[in-house]
Every structure is written in structure tokens, then in C-alpha cells.
Amino acid sequence: MTVIEEFTATSDTSPIHAGHSVDPTIRQRWRRSRVLIGAAVVVVIGAIVVALGSGNSGAVLDPRSYTPSGSHALAVLLGQRDVRVITMTSVGPDEQFETSGTTLVVVSPQYLSSDELSTIASTPVDLVLVGAGLDEIQALGLPLATQPDDGKTLRSPSCSLRAATVAGSAQLTGGGYTVPSGGQGCYPDGDGFALVTFERSGHRVTLLSDGTPLMNSSLAKDGNAALALGLLDIHPDVVWLVPPAIAPASSGPHRS
């Protein structure tokens, strides 16, 4: 394993103490949570824009990256919610994660080796895959298939998943996925869904068709931030895997 950085929020913005659960029967609290998230995102995005002027760079969907396609703003928001974000660039064959209290986020899985995908397939932690294609799905042994993109960018959840119903409309492209038996699909995309989640061997697997809701440049738009936080603000630790093919050359920590 290559551990790059354990992220700790250092923003001057006020923390959001929204907690890790929302009463699903109180819709007003859902709306209030989304408003608070939106306000915090605006402040964090402002800090990111300032940082961009200092020449910081990074990879797509990298939680250390201040660039428009990076995910540093989301890492700040997670840190404010007491969620620790740990960035990795590789997974060893004997990699062990905590069986509880951890979410493994894998972005651009097409850049991972077959051995790394095999290790990820056997992990007992909750898994969030971003932008997985058919080859990666088959390598991971997941019981679903890809569907063509219908060309839309803004989608309504059309499901009962709490993270999606709190977020409402979100920006998702890239095609859809079929839904395994017992699973749930959100944000319809043609004959599939841009978000699919299901239980597998005692842990949850979630697929996002692309990473737009996680990016600095789009986090403040529509329900993107609420969706991203709803999917990742579940456990105390988020291990974020950025494959070396897209990871920045410098692994020095970035600070807001």
C-alpha cells in the first residue's frame, strides 16, 4: 500500500455538525440539511478558488487537488463532519481494511491492475466505485452490466435511497448500470441508473457513473454536495484510492 496523506480539515469555516444519520420521517430537517450543506460548500469553494491562484495542482477526483476537477472541497466538508480522509495510490495484495468504520472510494478504476482489482473485490468494507466500466465490473465480479448514456446531465433521483432523496436533482453522466437483485437504482439513465447500490457479502457496494458530484467545480451545483456527503459521510474513515496513472507527481500535502 502507498499511503499519501491523511487529510485533516484546516478550513476556517464553521463546522457542520449534521451527524451521520438523518431522521427519514422529518422532511423539513432534510431540506435544512441541504441548505446548510450548500452554504458551507459556497464558503469552501471560495477558499479553493483562492488556492487555485497559488499554483496548486492535482489529479482528477483527487482529494488533495484544488483544481476544478479535484475533490479537495469535498474532503474539507467531510473533515468538518469528523470523517478522516486517507489518500492512497495503490493497493497491496495483502491489503487489510477495517471491516467496520471504513468506506473505500475508488476513482478511475480502469487504471488499476488486475491484482489490485482482485484485492478490492475481496475487501469487506463498504465500497464506492466511480466511473467503473464493464471490464472493471467483470474483474470485480459484480452482478451488473453497463447501459448506454442517454445524454442528459441533470437527473432526478426517482428512488427512496436517503442520500439521493436528501440531495434531489444531481449532475451525473457517463451511462447507467443495471440493478442487481435486492439492489436499488437511482438517477435513471436510459435503461439503467447512474447510481446503483446493493449489499454484497455483508457490505455495501455503490457505483456512480461518473465523478461530477465530487468535483470542486460542481460541488456547489444542484444537489451534488448533498449526494456526495450522503454517500461518504457514513463511517469515520474514508480511504480514497487515486490510481498512480492519474495521481500527481508530487505527494506533498496541500493545505487550504
Side-chain angles (χ1 to χ4, degrees), residues 74 78 83 103 105 128 214 228-235 238 240:
L74 178 55
L78 288 169
V83 176
T103 301
V105 179
V128 176
L214 315 182
L229 289 173
L231 294 176
L232 301 184
D233 183 18
I234 303 296
H235 300 302
V238 169
W240 198 300

Side-chain angles (χ1 to χ4, degrees), residues 10-152:
T10 57
S11 172
D12 292 333
T13 58
S14 300
I16 302 172
H17 298 292
H20 295 273
S21 64
V22 178
D23 186 344
T25 66
I26 307 179
R27 295 184 181 276
Q28 289 183 344
R29 290 185 61 189
W30 285 4
R31 297 189 188 99
R32 188 181 308 119
S33 175
R34 179 170 172 175
V35 170
L36 290 173
I37 291 170
V41 168
V42 170
V43 175
V44 172
I45 290 294
I48 298 299
V49 170
V50 173
L52 280 172
S54 65
N56 288 310
S57 61
V60 175
L61 298 177
D62 190 325
R64 301 160 296 173
S65 173
Y66 293 80
T67 64
S69 62
S71 296
H72 184 71
L74 178 55
V76 170
L77 292 175
L78 288 169
Q80 289 178 344
R81 288 168 166 251
D82 297 323
V83 176
R84 182 176 60 165
V85 178
I86 302 169
T87 308
M88 300 168 49
T89 59
S90 65
V91 178
D94 299 321
E95 194 68 57
Q96 296 292 323
F97 301 102
E98 295 292 336
T99 57
S100 63
T102 302
T103 301
L104 175 60
V105 179
V106 181
V107 301
S108 302
Q110 66 270 24
Y111 292 112
L112 296 176
S113 68
S114 57
D115 288 341
E116 288 175 316
L117 290 172
S118 177
T119 298
I120 290 170
S122 62
T123 182
V125 303
D126 286 354
L127 179 63
V128 176
L129 290 167
V130 183
L134 183 59
D135 289 344
E136 295 76 57
I137 288 172
Q138 292 177 341
L140 291 166
L142 302 180
L144 68 159
T146 57
Q147 295 291 321
D149 187 2
D150 62 11
K152 297 179 181 179

Side-chain angles (χ1 to χ4, degrees), residues 220-231:
K221 298 176 181 178
D222 301 297
N224 292 344
L227 177 61
L229 289 173
L231 294 176

